[in-house]
Amino acid sequence: MLFLLRKLSIPLSSSPSLTSVSLSRTTIMTTNPISSRLAILAQQLRLYKPPDSDTGKVDQPPEKLQNPNPNNRAAVLICLFHGDNDGDDSLRVILTKRSSDLSAHSGEVSLPGGKAEEDDVDDADTATREAKEEIGLEPSLVNVVAVLEPFLSKHLLRVVPVIGILSDRKAFNPTPNAGEVDEIFDAPLEMFLKDENHKSEEIDWLGNRILLHYFDYETGGKKYVIWGLTAGILIRAASIVYQRPPTFLEQTPKVKLPGVVSTDTKLP
């Protein structure tokens, strides 16, 4: 078990938001190494709880945020699986390149996801439904294990990241929705903790000085830039999974939108 935990780069010591889990020896011995590591990761992530909301006094947000749309909510799926190419069994995350025909964020890299609909039971339902619509990922293949604190997009959309585990990568046949997605690819989750191929830009947004993060990534002879909200969400997810902060300054101040977004909502 010690070997398996080290392989995942998950420390044995606990953290304020994620507690280590002990699996029985029988569980470890009766499954293959990759399945065992995913099982350990799943149990660890199920214990994750977003930071408690600050109930103290907070500053009023800018005037244009006083009456936000309560239905302005979305969810994205952080779908993790173990790579199986050339002996690389690192954790990887599924990403998309949005269609160049879309009116918003065309051609940008994003996580599968979208706005909530009335029939959605919860954020996990929204994220998995959208993933099926965009990339053909059946919800039954995804084991949802954690829901993170919400992020706020530049269009004031409350975006909730949902972490799911894809145990059987071969069962997933990527099928991009031509009207929404141009490409489907994956990237190593740990790269979002490393300064390599990373840069940032300080901007002023909603009265806060924040860092906008960019990651350059190349795969299959194609180059991608993962930035903004997607980069911020993946930095947070990687920090939780690997239980360590990024090697670069993150700088994500929190804001409060009365009645809609808690003080735990992060800027991109």
Side-chain angles (χ1 to χ4, degrees):
M1 179 175 176
L2 179 61
F3 167 77
L4 292 173
L5 289 173
R6 284 178 176 169
K7 186 73 174 178
L8 256 179
S9 300
I10 298 178
L12 290 172
S13 60
S14 63
S15 69
S17 57
L18 197 61
T19 306
S20 294
V21 173
S22 295
L23 294 182
S24 68
R25 184 174 180 179
T26 301
T27 302
I28 299 298
M29 297 300 292
T30 56
T31 56
N32 65 59
I34 288 180
S35 295
S36 297
R37 292 200 295 274
L38 288 176
I40 293 171
L41 176 63
Q43 291 208 24
Q44 296 233 18
L45 289 174
R46 286 192 187 100
L47 296 179
Y48 176 76
K49 294 182 179 180
D52 292 334
S53 296
D54 182 2
T55 57
K57 183 179 179 180
V58 296
D59 294 334
Q60 286 292 89
E63 182 65 27
K64 67 177 180 178
L65 303 182
Q66 293 297 313
N67 297 299
N69 182 355
N71 298 319
N72 214 20
R73 184 184 183 93
V76 293
L77 181 64
I78 303 169
C79 188
L80 304 178
F81 68 95
H82 271 294
D84 55 4
N85 296 326
D86 300 324
D88 175 19
D89 61 354
S90 62
L91 277 176
R92 304 185 71 83
V93 59
I94 296 174
L95 294 164
T96 70
K97 182 180 178 182
R98 291 169 59 85
S99 170
S100 56
D101 295 329
L102 291 173
S103 58
H105 307 291
S106 61
E108 293 184 4
V109 172
S110 68
L111 290 157
K115 284 190 176 183
E117 296 183 356
E118 282 188 15
D119 294 337
D120 292 341
V121 176
D122 51 25
D123 294 315
D125 197 29
T126 299
T128 54
R129 173 185 55 76
E130 285 284 339
K132 180 179 180 179
E133 292 177 6
E134 291 182 3
I135 64 175
L137 176 60
E138 289 292 336
S140 60
L141 295 176
V142 181
N143 179 16
V144 173
V145 292
V147 177
L148 309 188
E149 57 272 29
F151 282 66
L152 189 64
S153 78
K154 65 181 180 181
H155 297 300
L156 310 185
L157 186 68
R158 188 177 191 243
V159 181
V160 178
V162 175
I163 298 182
I165 291 178
L166 177 63
S167 298
D168 188 359
R169 171 62 182 83
K170 294 180 180 179
F172 169 44
N173 178 29
T175 308
N177 181 329
E180 299 185 51
V181 174
D182 280 345
E183 300 172 29
I184 303 171
F185 66 100
D186 56 80
L189 181 66
E190 196 173 13
M191 70 174 274
F192 298 101
L193 295 179
K194 300 178 179 180
D195 206 19
E196 182 181 359
N197 298 321
H198 165 265
K199 61 183 178 181
S200 62
E201 172 190 7
E202 188 174 46
I203 64 171
D204 184 82
W205 191 63
L206 303 183
N208 292 271
R209 296 298 294 174
I210 67 169
L211 286 178
L212 206 57
H213 297 277
Y214 299 78
F215 294 88
D216 293 318
Y217 181 63
E218 183 173 356
T219 182
K222 296 182 178 181
K223 296 181 179 181
Y224 303 94
V225 178
I226 306 164
W227 69 287
L229 181 64
T230 299
I233 289 174
L234 290 171
I235 291 169
R236 179 60 180 154
S239 297
I240 292 169
V241 169
Y242 290 100
Q243 295 192 44
R244 68 175 191 268
T247 57
F248 48 83
L249 180 63
E250 189 176 3
Q251 192 173 320
T252 54
K254 301 174 183 179
V255 297
K256 182 176 182 180
L257 305 189
V260 176
V261 183
S262 74
T263 52
D264 292 320
T265 299
K266 289 178 173 289
L267 301 178

